[in-house]
Amino acid sequence: MNTAADAAEPLLTLAREAAHFEGILALQARNLRHRLSEAEQAQDGFVYVEHDLPLLSRMASQSPQAIALAQGRVVGYSLSMRPSMAEWLPALQPMFEQFERMHWRGRRLGDFSYLVGGQVCVDQAWRGRGLIGALYACSRDAAGPEVELCLTEIALRNVVSRRAHERIGFIEVGRYAAAHEDWSVVAWPWWDAR
């Protein structure tokens, strides 16, 4: 039996089919914060927001949703949102509000042309192979050259995710506290990565 380590590199593409969205949801479900113990969260990281099939399909119609496929199965994904989609996920309203308040390089974050890194996740068997960076790059390439930044927020206690984002090129631009979590707002200047 082939293991992930023996398999060829996964195919990076954009989610377009129901099977892709179902694969994203299955991987997401295995890594949701509320389904993992604190020890698992500390060791492997976690994802915060839960999506559904209609929402993912709607998101894909407006913004690139990058996936990594291995033997037809989703083994990684990077969801994205455009600023015009801010009201689609009420749980993310505080993040979008911070983009309007925070400044970086002399400009308000909301004044940049940006794409939100909505959520990124890689199957445990495929971690440590650079897939997070490759997935974000797939989103960047699909978003077009007019997009200056990728912005996202990461729970401060999600050290695994914060380190992974830093390795790719994300820079912390601010922090804020919400009711149940403290957040780091990070930006990846895509003009540096192109």
Side-chain angles (χ1 to χ4, degrees):
M1 182 168 120
N2 286 346
T3 65
D6 298 329
E9 288 301 308
L11 169 70
L12 295 173
T13 189
L14 299 180
R16 293 186 173 94
E17 305 169 8
H20 295 160
F21 303 132
E22 290 165 0
I24 290 169
L25 293 175
L27 180 55
Q28 181 182 77
R30 292 192 303 274
N31 291 279
L32 282 166
R33 168 189 52 90
H34 67 272
R35 293 195 178 153
L36 300 173
S37 69
E38 287 187 27
E40 289 169 320
Q41 290 177 35
Q43 179 179 331
D44 296 322
F46 55 91
V47 295
Y48 212 87
V49 176
E50 192 168 2
H51 298 73
D52 61 30
L53 200 56
L55 177 59
L56 282 180
S57 180
R58 189 174 174 206
M59 287 170 63
S61 73
Q62 302 289 317
S63 189
Q65 312 304 319
I67 56 172
L69 294 172
Q71 299 177 339
R73 186 173 69 90
V74 175
V75 297
Y77 65 83
S78 176
L79 305 181
S80 71
M81 298 176 66
R82 299 206 182 261
S84 61
M85 301 159 65
E87 294 180 10
W88 294 10
L89 278 163
L92 297 181
Q93 285 302 308
M95 175 188 70
F96 282 101
E97 290 169 8
Q98 293 302 316
F99 294 167
E100 296 305 313
R101 291 185 184 124
M102 290 183 179
H103 288 77
W104 184 61
R105 293 191 178 183
R107 290 170 62 189
R108 192 171 50 94
L109 288 177
D111 290 339
F112 286 92
S113 171
Y114 69 89
L115 190 71
V116 176
Q119 186 178 89
V120 64
C121 186
V122 173
D123 184 88
Q124 191 167 18
W126 289 87
R127 293 178 185 159
R129 301 172 131 218
L131 276 181
I132 291 177
L135 287 161
Y136 270 118
C138 184
S139 295
R140 178 195 65 217
D141 295 345
E146 71 281 354
V147 178
E148 299 173 282
L149 298 177
C150 182
L151 297 175
T152 195
E153 66 180 3
I154 307 165
L156 281 179
R157 64 188 180 88
N158 194 344
V159 176
V160 172
S161 182
R162 289 177 50 216
R163 286 184 183 145
H165 282 77
E166 184 178 299
R167 279 192 301 271
I168 295 164
F170 279 88
I171 301 161
E172 184 175 83
V173 296
R175 293 183 176 185
Y176 74 99
H180 302 288
E181 200 75 62
D182 293 330
W183 297 96
S184 170
V185 174
V186 295
W188 183 13
W190 277 353
W191 59 75
D192 290 345
R194 287 192 169 98

